[in-house]
Amino acid sequence: MSQTVYDVLIIGGGPAGLTAGLYTSRAKLKTLLVERMILGGQVMTTTKVENYPGFPGGIDGPELMERFQEHCQEFGLEVTTGEVQGLVDRGETKAVTVDGEEVLARSVIITTGAEPAKLGVPGEQQFVGRGVSYCATCDGAFFRNATIAIVGGGDTAAEEALFLTRFASKVYLIHRRDQLRATKILQDRVFASDKIEPLWNSQVEQVEGDNTGLKSIVLKDRVTGATRSLELEGLFVAIGVIPKAHFLAEVLDLDADGHILTDAECRTSIPGVFAAGDVRKKMLKQIATAVGDGAVAAIMAEKYLMDHE
Ligand code: NAP
């Protein structure tokens, strides 16, 4: 029996992957979407999405992603769970290894997204799940009436600091510089909160605790060089994300940070292989831009398949 050759294989089921899947399955291309864990990507850990058009008043991240999935189902997108380990370019077909099995496709769209960056300081790893977290939406409720801190100065840190005020009695916002990178509207909300205290020019040097969990952190003042201990029950880390493309480093051109390099039409260095969303190098990482990328990659894959019939 001959092996199925998909027209399009999509790796990753966040907003970019689901949008690409919507477009290609609607275009009647035989498409398989492979997702490692659960569909929805990073949006699944977002409480309220306020800047995705069409939802005045905002929408919960998981609910938005459920709608994306339902929409894909309308067009019969085939979805499977599995981890992609590698990709081999055989010209007209691409061989993708999924959980050790080879899956063939005439074109591939990579939408593997990104994962939270780690501080890389002593004690951080040791207290993950026992005080250290990378997801306020997932773990915030464990810190009722607690004193906690969040590290970072971007949109994620600002949004998560605000979310954490629902539970914690005090939220330190630890940032390595003296101004936030987050958008003005989020900054205004952070500064208006009487529960959030920014700690400027501060860097976490160490995470400390005992067998019951995290107890304190060592903070360094980057201006004076002085260090001090800060007692905490929880430490949230929101210092950006790392693209999930390491498994493709041998076959595709990546930038120094590990993003897949593409042109404006989402084409990678291999003809017939496209990248969309946070995994590719681009200026703005938003749900709206991931959706835009997914649509572009899908249309470009369709065009590629027509040109190579
Ligand atoms: P980000 O914008 O890259 O911000 C990362 C923050 O962490 C920066 O403030 C950075 O400091 C700090 N940082 C980086 N490495 C650090 C380290 N080793 N130690 C201490 N601090 C460190 O990341 P993000 O906030 O996760 O956002 C990622 C993307 O998603 C952005 O494009 C953002 O706009 C988007 N996003 C949008 C929304 C929204 O629109 N509602 C929500 C969440 C995320 P410096 O400022 O000094 O570089």
Side-chain angles (χ1 to χ4, degrees), residues 14-16 39-49 52 59-66 68 137 278 286-288 290:
L39 291 173
Q42 295 172 84
V43 187
M44 295 300 279
T45 60
T46 304
T47 35
K48 192 88 130 187
V49 178
Y52 191 68
I59 179 168
D60 287 350
E63 193 190 335
L64 180 63
M65 288 300 97
E66 208 167 290
F68 272 52
T137 322
D278 287 8
Q286 298 273 303
I287 304 171

mmCIF file with all atom_site columns, all heavy atoms in Angstrom, residues 14-16 39-49 52 59-66 68 137 278 286-288 290:
data_model
loop_
_atom_site.group_PDB
_atom_site.id
_atom_site.type_symbol
_atom_site.label_atom_id
_atom_site.label_alt_id
_atom_site.label_comp_id
_atom_site.label_asym_id
_atom_site.label_entity_id
_atom_site.label_seq_id
_atom_site.pdbx_PDB_ins_code
_atom_site.Cartn_x
_atom_site.Cartn_y
_atom_site.Cartn_z
_atom_site.occupancy
_atom_site.B_iso_or_equiv
_atom_site.pdbx_formal_charge
_atom_site.auth_seq_id
_atom_site.auth_comp_id
_atom_site.auth_asym_id
_atom_site.auth_atom_id
_atom_site.pdbx_PDB_model_num
ATOM 1   N N   . GLY A 1 14  ? -1.022  26.629 17.090 1.00 0.00 ? 14  GLY A N   1
ATOM 2   C CA  . GLY A 1 14  ? -1.400  27.920 17.669 1.00 0.00 ? 14  GLY A CA  1
ATOM 3   C C   . GLY A 1 14  ? -2.189  28.719 16.634 1.00 0.00 ? 14  GLY A C   1
ATOM 4   O O   . GLY A 1 14  ? -2.650  28.162 15.622 1.00 0.00 ? 14  GLY A O   1
ATOM 5   N N   . PRO A 1 15  ? -2.342  30.033 16.857 1.00 0.00 ? 15  PRO A N   1
ATOM 6   C CA  . PRO A 1 15  ? -3.116  30.853 15.913 1.00 0.00 ? 15  PRO A CA  1
ATOM 7   C C   . PRO A 1 15  ? -2.602  30.790 14.469 1.00 0.00 ? 15  PRO A C   1
ATOM 8   O O   . PRO A 1 15  ? -3.406  30.735 13.541 1.00 0.00 ? 15  PRO A O   1
ATOM 9   C CB  . PRO A 1 15  ? -2.956  32.270 16.470 1.00 0.00 ? 15  PRO A CB  1
ATOM 10  C CG  . PRO A 1 15  ? -2.650  32.088 17.903 1.00 0.00 ? 15  PRO A CG  1
ATOM 11  C CD  . PRO A 1 15  ? -1.907  30.801 18.034 1.00 0.00 ? 15  PRO A CD  1
ATOM 12  N N   . ALA A 1 16  ? -1.265  30.776 14.288 1.00 0.00 ? 16  ALA A N   1
ATOM 13  C CA  . ALA A 1 16  ? -0.719  30.731 12.922 1.00 0.00 ? 16  ALA A CA  1
ATOM 14  C C   . ALA A 1 16  ? -1.043  29.388 12.267 1.00 0.00 ? 16  ALA A C   1
ATOM 15  O O   . ALA A 1 16  ? -1.501  29.335 11.113 1.00 0.00 ? 16  ALA A O   1
ATOM 16  C CB  . ALA A 1 16  ? 0.792   30.960 12.951 1.00 0.00 ? 16  ALA A CB  1
ATOM 17  N N   . LEU A 1 39  ? -4.015  22.106 21.276 1.00 0.00 ? 39  LEU A N   1
ATOM 18  C CA  . LEU A 1 39  ? -4.176  23.164 20.278 1.00 0.00 ? 39  LEU A CA  1
ATOM 19  C C   . LEU A 1 39  ? -4.358  24.514 20.970 1.00 0.00 ? 39  LEU A C   1
ATOM 20  O O   . LEU A 1 39  ? -4.917  24.593 22.066 1.00 0.00 ? 39  LEU A O   1
ATOM 21  C CB  . LEU A 1 39  ? -5.393  22.874 19.403 1.00 0.00 ? 39  LEU A CB  1
ATOM 22  C CG  . LEU A 1 39  ? -5.272  21.682 18.448 1.00 0.00 ? 39  LEU A CG  1
ATOM 23  C CD1 . LEU A 1 39  ? -6.615  21.412 17.777 1.00 0.00 ? 39  LEU A CD1 1
ATOM 24  C CD2 . LEU A 1 39  ? -4.203  21.937 17.381 1.00 0.00 ? 39  LEU A CD2 1
ATOM 25  N N   . GLY A 1 40  ? -3.887  25.567 20.329 1.00 0.00 ? 40  GLY A N   1
ATOM 26  C CA  . GLY A 1 40  ? -4.118  26.916 20.854 1.00 0.00 ? 40  GLY A CA  1
ATOM 27  C C   . GLY A 1 40  ? -2.846  27.689 21.152 1.00 0.00 ? 40  GLY A C   1
ATOM 28  O O   . GLY A 1 40  ? -2.865  28.907 21.203 1.00 0.00 ? 40  GLY A O   1
ATOM 29  N N   . GLY A 1 41  ? -1.737  26.970 21.391 1.00 0.00 ? 41  GLY A N   1
ATOM 30  C CA  . GLY A 1 41  ? -0.450  27.635 21.609 1.00 0.00 ? 41  GLY A CA  1
ATOM 31  C C   . GLY A 1 41  ? -0.427  28.525 22.836 1.00 0.00 ? 41  GLY A C   1
ATOM 32  O O   . GLY A 1 41  ? -1.141  28.290 23.816 1.00 0.00 ? 41  GLY A O   1
ATOM 33  N N   . GLN A 1 42  ? 0.400   29.558 22.768 1.00 0.00 ? 42  GLN A N   1
ATOM 34  C CA  . GLN A 1 42  ? 0.605   30.443 23.921 1.00 0.00 ? 42  GLN A CA  1
ATOM 35  C C   . GLN A 1 42  ? -0.674  31.170 24.357 1.00 0.00 ? 42  GLN A C   1
ATOM 36  O O   . GLN A 1 42  ? -0.795  31.572 25.511 1.00 0.00 ? 42  GLN A O   1
ATOM 37  C CB  . GLN A 1 42  ? 1.658   31.496 23.593 1.00 0.00 ? 42  GLN A CB  1
ATOM 38  C CG  . GLN A 1 42  ? 3.050   30.941 23.362 1.00 0.00 ? 42  GLN A CG  1
ATOM 39  C CD  . GLN A 1 42  ? 3.979   32.029 22.844 1.00 0.00 ? 42  GLN A CD  1
ATOM 40  O OE1 . GLN A 1 42  ? 4.528   32.794 23.608 1.00 0.00 ? 42  GLN A OE1 1
ATOM 41  N NE2 . GLN A 1 42  ? 4.154   32.107 21.539 1.00 0.00 ? 42  GLN A NE2 1
ATOM 42  N N   . VAL A 1 43  ? -1.624  31.324 23.427 1.00 0.00 ? 43  VAL A N   1
ATOM 43  C CA  . VAL A 1 43  ? -2.860  32.046 23.770 1.00 0.00 ? 43  VAL A CA  1
ATOM 44  C C   . VAL A 1 43  ? -3.643  31.295 24.857 1.00 0.00 ? 43  VAL A C   1
ATOM 45  O O   . VAL A 1 43  ? -4.411  31.885 25.615 1.00 0.00 ? 43  VAL A O   1
ATOM 46  C CB  . VAL A 1 43  ? -3.745  32.241 22.510 1.00 0.00 ? 43  VAL A CB  1
ATOM 47  C CG1 . VAL A 1 43  ? -4.930  33.137 22.826 1.00 0.00 ? 43  VAL A CG1 1
ATOM 48  C CG2 . VAL A 1 43  ? -2.941  32.830 21.376 1.00 0.00 ? 43  VAL A CG2 1
ATOM 49  N N   . MET A 1 44  ? -3.414  29.984 24.946 1.00 0.00 ? 44  MET A N   1
ATOM 50  C CA  . MET A 1 44  ? -4.114  29.176 25.950 1.00 0.00 ? 44  MET A CA  1
ATOM 51  C C   . MET A 1 44  ? -3.755  29.612 27.372 1.00 0.00 ? 44  MET A C   1
ATOM 52  O O   . MET A 1 44  ? -4.477  29.319 28.313 1.00 0.00 ? 44  MET A O   1
ATOM 53  C CB  . MET A 1 44  ? -3.774  27.693 25.771 1.00 0.00 ? 44  MET A CB  1
ATOM 54  C CG  . MET A 1 44  ? -4.275  27.119 24.476 1.00 0.00 ? 44  MET A CG  1
ATOM 55  S SD  . MET A 1 44  ? -6.060  27.248 24.327 1.00 0.00 ? 44  MET A SD  1
ATOM 56  C CE  . MET A 1 44  ? -6.571  25.850 25.302 1.00 0.00 ? 44  MET A CE  1
ATOM 57  N N   . THR A 1 45  ? -2.616  30.285 27.515 1.00 0.00 ? 45  THR A N   1
ATOM 58  C CA  . THR A 1 45  ? -2.223  30.739 28.853 1.00 0.00 ? 45  THR A CA  1
ATOM 59  C C   . THR A 1 45  ? -2.448  32.243 29.022 1.00 0.00 ? 45  THR A C   1
ATOM 60  O O   . THR A 1 45  ? -1.886  32.862 29.907 1.00 0.00 ? 45  THR A O   1
ATOM 61  C CB  . THR A 1 45  ? -0.737  30.389 29.133 1.00 0.00 ? 45  THR A CB  1
ATOM 62  O OG1 . THR A 1 45  ? 0.067   31.035 28.157 1.00 0.00 ? 45  THR A OG1 1
ATOM 63  C CG2 . THR A 1 45  ? -0.499  28.903 29.105 1.00 0.00 ? 45  THR A CG2 1
ATOM 64  N N   . THR A 1 46  ? -3.271  32.807 28.160 1.00 0.00 ? 46  THR A N   1
ATOM 65  C CA  . THR A 1 46  ? -3.576  34.243 28.230 1.00 0.00 ? 46  THR A CA  1
ATOM 66  C C   . THR A 1 46  ? -4.988  34.412 28.794 1.00 0.00 ? 46  THR A C   1
ATOM 67  O O   . THR A 1 46  ? -5.911  33.752 28.316 1.00 0.00 ? 46  THR A O   1
ATOM 68  C CB  . THR A 1 46  ? -3.522  34.876 26.819 1.00 0.00 ? 46  THR A CB  1
ATOM 69  O OG1 . THR A 1 46  ? -2.231  34.604 26.282 1.00 0.00 ? 46  THR A OG1 1
ATOM 70  C CG2 . THR A 1 46  ? -3.753  36.360 26.849 1.00 0.00 ? 46  THR A CG2 1
ATOM 71  N N   . THR A 1 47  ? -5.113  35.265 29.796 1.00 0.00 ? 47  THR A N   1
ATOM 72  C CA  . THR A 1 47  ? -6.453  35.429 30.379 1.00 0.00 ? 47  THR A CA  1
ATOM 73  C C   . THR A 1 47  ? -7.377  36.163 29.422 1.00 0.00 ? 47  THR A C   1
ATOM 74  O O   . THR A 1 47  ? -8.315  35.589 28.894 1.00 0.00 ? 47  THR A O   1
ATOM 75  C CB  . THR A 1 47  ? -6.386  36.215 31.706 1.00 0.00 ? 47  THR A CB  1
ATOM 76  O OG1 . THR A 1 47  ? -5.363  37.174 31.611 1.00 0.00 ? 47  THR A OG1 1
ATOM 77  C CG2 . THR A 1 47  ? -6.178  35.300 32.870 1.00 0.00 ? 47  THR A CG2 1
ATOM 78  N N   . LYS A 1 48  ? -7.088  37.400 29.197 1.00 0.00 ? 48  LYS A N   1
ATOM 79  C CA  . LYS A 1 48  ? -7.991  38.204 28.363 1.00 0.00 ? 48  LYS A CA  1
ATOM 80  C C   . LYS A 1 48  ? -7.231  38.732 27.156 1.00 0.00 ? 48  LYS A C   1
ATOM 81  O O   . LYS A 1 48  ? -6.192  39.363 27.309 1.00 0.00 ? 48  LYS A O   1
ATOM 82  C CB  . LYS A 1 48  ? -8.499  39.370 29.211 1.00 0.00 ? 48  LYS A CB  1
ATOM 83  C CG  . LYS A 1 48  ? -9.625  40.115 28.623 1.00 0.00 ? 48  LYS A CG  1
ATOM 84  C CD  . LYS A 1 48  ? -10.930 39.609 28.945 1.00 0.00 ? 48  LYS A CD  1
ATOM 85  C CE  . LYS A 1 48  ? -12.128 40.149 29.424 1.00 0.00 ? 48  LYS A CE  1
ATOM 86  N NZ  . LYS A 1 48  ? -13.120 39.162 29.725 1.00 0.00 ? 48  LYS A NZ  1
ATOM 87  N N   . VAL A 1 49  ? -7.770  38.473 25.974 1.00 0.00 ? 49  VAL A N   1
ATOM 88  C CA  . VAL A 1 49  ? -7.196  39.047 24.758 1.00 0.00 ? 49  VAL A CA  1
ATOM 89  C C   . VAL A 1 49  ? -8.038  40.265 24.417 1.00 0.00 ? 49  VAL A C   1
ATOM 90  O O   . VAL A 1 49  ? -9.232  40.146 24.134 1.00 0.00 ? 49  VAL A O   1
ATOM 91  C CB  . VAL A 1 49  ? -7.234  38.020 23.603 1.00 0.00 ? 49  VAL A CB  1
ATOM 92  C CG1 . VAL A 1 49  ? -6.687  38.633 22.327 1.00 0.00 ? 49  VAL A CG1 1
ATOM 93  C CG2 . VAL A 1 49  ? -6.470  36.761 23.975 1.00 0.00 ? 49  VAL A CG2 1
ATOM 94  N N   . TYR A 1 52  ? -7.527  41.600 19.813 1.00 0.00 ? 52  TYR A N   1
ATOM 95  C CA  . TYR A 1 52  ? -7.821  40.827 18.600 1.00 0.00 ? 52  TYR A CA  1
ATOM 96  C C   . TYR A 1 52  ? -9.153  41.331 18.061 1.00 0.00 ? 52  TYR A C   1
ATOM 97  O O   . TYR A 1 52  ? -10.166 41.281 18.773 1.00 0.00 ? 52  TYR A O   1
ATOM 98  C CB  . TYR A 1 52  ? -7.864  39.319 18.910 1.00 0.00 ? 52  TYR A CB  1
ATOM 99  C CG  . TYR A 1 52  ? -7.907  38.510 17.644 1.00 0.00 ? 52  TYR A CG  1
ATOM 100 C CD1 . TYR A 1 52  ? -6.800  38.474 16.809 1.00 0.00 ? 52  TYR A CD1 1
ATOM 101 C CD2 . TYR A 1 52  ? -9.060  37.862 17.253 1.00 0.00 ? 52  TYR A CD2 1
ATOM 102 C CE1 . TYR A 1 52  ? -6.842  37.785 15.613 1.00 0.00 ? 52  TYR A CE1 1
ATOM 103 C CE2 . TYR A 1 52  ? -9.113  37.164 16.066 1.00 0.00 ? 52  TYR A CE2 1
ATOM 104 C CZ  . TYR A 1 52  ? -8.006  37.124 15.253 1.00 0.00 ? 52  TYR A CZ  1
ATOM 105 O OH  . TYR A 1 52  ? -8.041  36.457 14.064 1.00 0.00 ? 52  TYR A OH  1
ATOM 106 N N   . ILE A 1 59  ? -11.769 38.804 24.923 1.00 0.00 ? 59  ILE A N   1
ATOM 107 C CA  . ILE A 1 59  ? -12.209 37.403 24.951 1.00 0.00 ? 59  ILE A CA  1
ATOM 108 C C   . ILE A 1 59  ? -11.126 36.592 25.653 1.00 0.00 ? 59  ILE A C   1
ATOM 109 O O   . ILE A 1 59  ? -9.934  36.894 25.506 1.00 0.00 ? 59  ILE A O   1
ATOM 110 C CB  . ILE A 1 59  ? -12.491 36.880 23.500 1.00 0.00 ? 59  ILE A CB  1
ATOM 111 C CG1 . ILE A 1 59  ? -12.938 35.407 23.534 1.00 0.00 ? 59  ILE A CG1 1
ATOM 112 C CG2 . ILE A 1 59  ? -11.308 37.072 22.574 1.00 0.00 ? 59  ILE A CG2 1
ATOM 113 C CD1 . ILE A 1 59  ? -13.504 34.887 22.221 1.00 0.00 ? 59  ILE A CD1 1
ATOM 114 N N   . ASP A 1 60  ? -11.520 35.581 26.420 1.00 0.00 ? 60  ASP A N   1
ATOM 115 C CA  . ASP A 1 60  ? -10.530 34.731 27.090 1.00 0.00 ? 60  ASP A CA  1
ATOM 116 C C   . ASP A 1 60  ? -9.722  33.978 26.025 1.00 0.00 ? 60  ASP A C   1
ATOM 117 O O   . ASP A 1 60  ? -10.291 33.505 25.029 1.00 0.00 ? 60  ASP A O   1
ATOM 118 C CB  . ASP A 1 60  ? -11.233 33.692 27.974 1.00 0.00 ? 60  ASP A CB  1
ATOM 119 C CG  . ASP A 1 60  ? -11.821 34.345 29.210 1.00 0.00 ? 60  ASP A CG  1
ATOM 120 O OD1 . ASP A 1 60  ? -11.509 35.530 29.447 1.00 0.00 ? 60  ASP A OD1 1
ATOM 121 O OD2 . ASP A 1 60  ? -12.582 33.675 29.921 1.00 0.00 ? 60  ASP A OD2 1
ATOM 122 N N   . GLY A 1 61  ? -8.399  33.844 26.274 1.00 0.00 ? 61  GLY A N   1
ATOM 123 C CA  . GLY A 1 61  ? -7.529  33.159 25.314 1.00 0.00 ? 61  GLY A CA  1
ATOM 124 C C   . GLY A 1 61  ? -8.043  31.770 24.921 1.00 0.00 ? 61  GLY A C   1
ATOM 125 O O   . GLY A 1 61  ? -8.207  31.487 23.725 1.00 0.00 ? 61  GLY A O   1
ATOM 126 N N   . PRO A 1 62  ? -8.336  30.896 25.902 1.00 0.00 ? 62  PRO A N   1
ATOM 127 C CA  . PRO A 1 62  ? -8.803  29.554 25.539 1.00 0.00 ? 62  PRO A CA  1
ATOM 128 C C   . PRO A 1 62  ? -10.097 29.558 24.721 1.00 0.00 ? 62  PRO A C   1
ATOM 129 O O   . PRO A 1 62  ? -10.264 28.749 23.812 1.00 0.00 ? 62  PRO A O   1
ATOM 130 C CB  . PRO A 1 62  ? -9.011  28.870 26.906 1.00 0.00 ? 62  PRO A CB  1
ATOM 131 C CG  . PRO A 1 62  ? -8.079  29.589 27.822 1.00 0.00 ? 62  PRO A CG  1
ATOM 132 C CD  . PRO A 1 62  ? -8.079  31.010 27.351 1.00 0.00 ? 62  PRO A CD  1
ATOM 133 N N   . GLU A 1 63  ? -10.994 30.516 25.032 1.00 0.00 ? 63  GLU A N   1
ATOM 134 C CA  . GLU A 1 63  ? -12.251 30.568 24.275 1.00 0.00 ? 63  GLU A CA  1
ATOM 135 C C   . GLU A 1 63  ? -11.996 30.971 22.818 1.00 0.00 ? 63  GLU A C   1
ATOM 136 O O   . GLU A 1 63  ? -12.574 30.409 21.887 1.00 0.00 ? 63  GLU A O   1
ATOM 137 C CB  . GLU A 1 63  ? -13.218 31.560 24.940 1.00 0.00 ? 63  GLU A CB  1
ATOM 138 C CG  . GLU A 1 63  ? -14.626 31.419 24.390 1.00 0.00 ? 63  GLU A CG  1
ATOM 139 C CD  . GLU A 1 63  ? -15.554 32.531 24.835 1.00 0.00 ? 63  GLU A CD  1
ATOM 140 O OE1 . GLU A 1 63  ? -15.318 33.148 25.893 1.00 0.00 ? 63  GLU A OE1 1
ATOM 141 O OE2 . GLU A 1 63  ? -16.519 32.794 24.090 1.00 0.00 ? 63  GLU A OE2 1
ATOM 142 N N   . LEU A 1 64  ? -11.084 31.923 22.653 1.00 0.00 ? 64  LEU A N   1
ATOM 143 C CA  . LEU A 1 64  ? -10.742 32.343 21.287 1.00 0.00 ? 64  LEU A CA  1
ATOM 144 C C   . LEU A 1 64  ? -10.170 31.164 20.498 1.00 0.00 ? 64  LEU A C   1
ATOM 145 O O   . LEU A 1 64  ? -10.527 30.929 19.346 1.00 0.00 ? 64  LEU A O   1
ATOM 146 C CB  . LEU A 1 64  ? -9.740  33.511 21.334 1.00 0.00 ? 64  LEU A CB  1
ATOM 147 C CG  . LEU A 1 64  ? -9.280  34.064 19.986 1.00 0.00 ? 64  LEU A CG  1
ATOM 148 C CD1 . LEU A 1 64  ? -10.458 34.652 19.200 1.00 0.00 ? 64  LEU A CD1 1
ATOM 149 C CD2 . LEU A 1 64  ? -8.205  35.134 20.167 1.00 0.00 ? 64  LEU A CD2 1
ATOM 150 N N   . MET A 1 65  ? -9.304  30.409 21.147 1.00 0.00 ? 65  MET A N   1
ATOM 151 C CA  . MET A 1 65  ? -8.671  29.287 20.447 1.00 0.00 ? 65  MET A CA  1
ATOM 152 C C   . MET A 1 65  ? -9.664  28.157 20.158 1.00 0.00 ? 65  MET A C   1
ATOM 153 O O   . MET A 1 65  ? -9.545  27.456 19.165 1.00 0.00 ? 65  MET A O   1
ATOM 154 C CB  . MET A 1 65  ? -7.475  28.777 21.256 1.00 0.00 ? 65  MET A CB  1
ATOM 155 C CG  . MET A 1 65  ? -6.292  29.723 21.220 1.00 0.00 ? 65  MET A CG  1
ATOM 156 S SD  . MET A 1 65  ? -5.683  29.996 19.523 1.00 0.00 ? 65  MET A SD  1
ATOM 157 C CE  . MET A 1 65  ? -6.466  31.504 19.067 1.00 0.00 ? 65  MET A CE  1
ATOM 158 N N   . GLU A 1 66  ? -10.655 28.013 21.038 1.00 0.00 ? 66  GLU A N   1
ATOM 159 C CA  . GLU A 1 66  ? -11.712 27.026 20.784 1.00 0.00 ? 66  GLU A CA  1
ATOM 160 C C   . GLU A 1 66  ? -12.480 27.402 19.517 1.00 0.00 ? 66  GLU A C   1
ATOM 161 O O   . GLU A 1 66  ? -12.812 26.560 18.705 1.00 0.00 ? 66  GLU A O   1
ATOM 162 C CB  . GLU A 1 66  ? -12.665 27.005 21.976 1.00 0.00 ? 66  GLU A CB  1
ATOM 163 C CG  . GLU A 1 66  ? -13.342 25.661 22.174 1.00 0.00 ? 66  GLU A CG  1
ATOM 164 C CD  . GLU A 1 66  ? -13.993 25.620 23.535 1.00 0.00 ? 66  GLU A CD  1
ATOM 165 O OE1 . GLU A 1 66  ? -13.263 25.581 24.545 1.00 0.00 ? 66  GLU A OE1 1
ATOM 166 O OE2 . GLU A 1 66  ? -15.219 25.687 23.557 1.00 0.00 ? 66  GLU A OE2 1
ATOM 167 N N   . PHE A 1 68  ? -11.259 29.141 17.007 1.00 0.00 ? 68  PHE A N   1
ATOM 168 C CA  . PHE A 1 68  ? -10.366 28.850 15.872 1.00 0.00 ? 68  PHE A CA  1
ATOM 169 C C   . PHE A 1 68  ? -10.505 27.368 15.481 1.00 0.00 ? 68  PHE A C   1
ATOM 170 O O   . PHE A 1 68  ? -10.610 27.019 14.310 1.00 0.00 ? 68  PHE A O   1
ATOM 171 C CB  . PHE A 1 68  ? -8.897  29.118 16.262 1.00 0.00 ? 68  PHE A CB  1
ATOM 172 C CG  . PHE A 1 68  ? -8.413  30.533 16.048 1.00 0.00 ? 68  PHE A CG  1
ATOM 173 C CD1 . PHE A 1 68  ? -9.108  31.617 16.544 1.00 0.00 ? 68  PHE A CD1 1
ATOM 174 C CD2 . PHE A 1 68  ? -7.227  30.774 15.373 1.00 0.00 ? 68  PHE A CD2 1
ATOM 175 C CE1 . PHE A 1 68  ? -8.641  32.922 16.364 1.00 0.00 ? 68  PHE A CE1 1
ATOM 176 C CE2 . PHE A 1 68  ? -6.749  32.061 15.178 1.00 0.00 ? 68  PHE A CE2 1
ATOM 177 C CZ  . PHE A 1 68  ? -7.460  33.132 15.684 1.00 0.00 ? 68  PHE A CZ  1
ATOM 178 N N   . THR A 1 137 ? -1.344  32.856 34.344 1.00 0.00 ? 137 THR A N   1
ATOM 179 C CA  . THR A 1 137 ? -2.710  32.347 34.162 1.00 0.00 ? 137 THR A CA  1
ATOM 180 C C   . THR A 1 137 ? -2.859  30.951 34.748 1.00 0.00 ? 137 THR A C   1
ATOM 181 O O   . THR A 1 137 ? -3.881  30.613 35.325 1.00 0.00 ? 137 THR A O   1
ATOM 182 C CB  . THR A 1 137 ? -3.050  32.267 32.656 1.00 0.00 ? 137 THR A CB  1
ATOM 183 O OG1 . THR A 1 137 ? -2.483  33.384 32.019 1.00 0.00 ? 137 THR A OG1 1
ATOM 184 C CG2 . THR A 1 137 ? -4.535  32.242 32.432 1.00 0.00 ? 137 THR A CG2 1
ATOM 185 N N   . ASP A 1 278 ? 5.187   33.203 15.634 1.00 0.00 ? 278 ASP A N   1
ATOM 186 C CA  . ASP A 1 278 ? 6.296   33.623 16.507 1.00 0.00 ? 278 ASP A CA  1
ATOM 187 C C   . ASP A 1 278 ? 7.612   32.904 16.230 1.00 0.00 ? 278 ASP A C   1
ATOM 188 O O   . ASP A 1 278 ? 8.661   33.358 16.681 1.00 0.00 ? 278 ASP A O   1
ATOM 189 C CB  . ASP A 1 278 ? 5.929   33.387 17.980 1.00 0.00 ? 278 ASP A CB  1
ATOM 190 C CG  . ASP A 1 278 ? 4.915   34.389 18.491 1.00 0.00 ? 278 ASP A CG  1
ATOM 191 O OD1 . ASP A 1 278 ? 4.390   35.166 17.681 1.00 0.00 ? 278 ASP A OD1 1
ATOM 192 O OD2 . ASP A 1 278 ? 4.644   34.378 19.710 1.00 0.00 ? 278 ASP A OD2 1
ATOM 193 N N   . GLN A 1 286 ? 2.099   39.128 17.644 1.00 0.00 ? 286 GLN A N   1
ATOM 194 C CA  . GLN A 1 286 ? 0.751   39.306 18.171 1.00 0.00 ? 286 GLN A CA  1
ATOM 195 C C   . GLN A 1 286 ? -0.115  38.192 17.591 1.00 0.00 ? 286 GLN A C   1
ATOM 196 O O   . GLN A 1 286 ? 0.263   37.577 16.591 1.00 0.00 ? 286 GLN A O   1
ATOM 197 C CB  . GLN A 1 286 ? 0.187   40.653 17.695 1.00 0.00 ? 286 GLN A CB  1
ATOM 198 C CG  . GLN A 1 286 ? 0.962   41.852 18.158 1.00 0.00 ? 286 GLN A CG  1
ATOM 199 C CD  . GLN A 1 286 ? 0.499   42.333 19.507 1.00 0.00 ? 286 GLN A CD  1
ATOM 200 O OE1 . GLN A 1 286 ? -0.652  42.639 19.710 1.00 0.00 ? 286 GLN A OE1 1
ATOM 201 N NE2 . GLN A 1 286 ? 1.416   42.381 20.446 1.00 0.00 ? 286 GLN A NE2 1
ATOM 202 N N   . ILE A 1 287 ? -1.299  37.980 18.176 1.00 0.00 ? 287 ILE A N   1
ATOM 203 C CA  . ILE A 1 287 ? -2.205  36.982 17.598 1.00 0.00 ? 287 ILE A CA  1
ATOM 204 C C   . ILE A 1 287 ? -2.575  37.428 16.177 1.00 0.00 ? 287 ILE A C   1
ATOM 205 O O   . ILE A 1 287 ? -2.592  36.632 15.241 1.00 0.00 ? 287 ILE A O   1
ATOM 206 C CB  . ILE A 1 287 ? -3.474  36.799 18.452 1.00 0.00 ? 287 ILE A CB  1
ATOM 207 C CG1 . ILE A 1 287 ? -3.093  36.443 19.886 1.00 0.00 ? 287 ILE A CG1 1
ATOM 208 C CG2 . ILE A 1 287 ? -4.366  35.702 17.865 1.00 0.00 ? 287 ILE A CG2 1
ATOM 209 C CD1 . ILE A 1 287 ? -4.250  36.445 20.863 1.00 0.00 ? 287 ILE A CD1 1
ATOM 210 N N   . ALA A 1 288 ? -2.848  38.740 16.050 1.00 0.00 ? 288 ALA A N   1
ATOM 211 C CA  . ALA A 1 288 ? -3.262  39.260 14.740 1.00 0.00 ? 288 ALA A CA  1
ATOM 212 C C   . ALA A 1 288 ? -2.186  39.027 13.679 1.00 0.00 ? 288 ALA A C   1
ATOM 213 O O   . ALA A 1 288 ? -2.506  38.680 12.527 1.00 0.00 ? 288 ALA A O   1
ATOM 214 C CB  . ALA A 1 288 ? -3.588  40.744 14.851 1.00 0.00 ? 288 ALA A CB  1
ATOM 215 N N   . ALA A 1 290 ? 0.186   36.676 13.818 1.00 0.00 ? 290 ALA A N   1
ATOM 216 C CA  . ALA A 1 290 ? 0.321   35.223 13.622 1.00 0.00 ? 290 ALA A CA  1
ATOM 217 C C   . ALA A 1 290 ? -0.754  34.742 12.647 1.00 0.00 ? 290 ALA A C   1
ATOM 218 O O   . ALA A 1 290 ? -0.492  33.931 11.749 1.00 0.00 ? 290 ALA A O   1
ATOM 219 C CB  . ALA A 1 290 ? 0.194   34.499 14.960 1.00 0.00 ? 290 ALA A CB  1
#
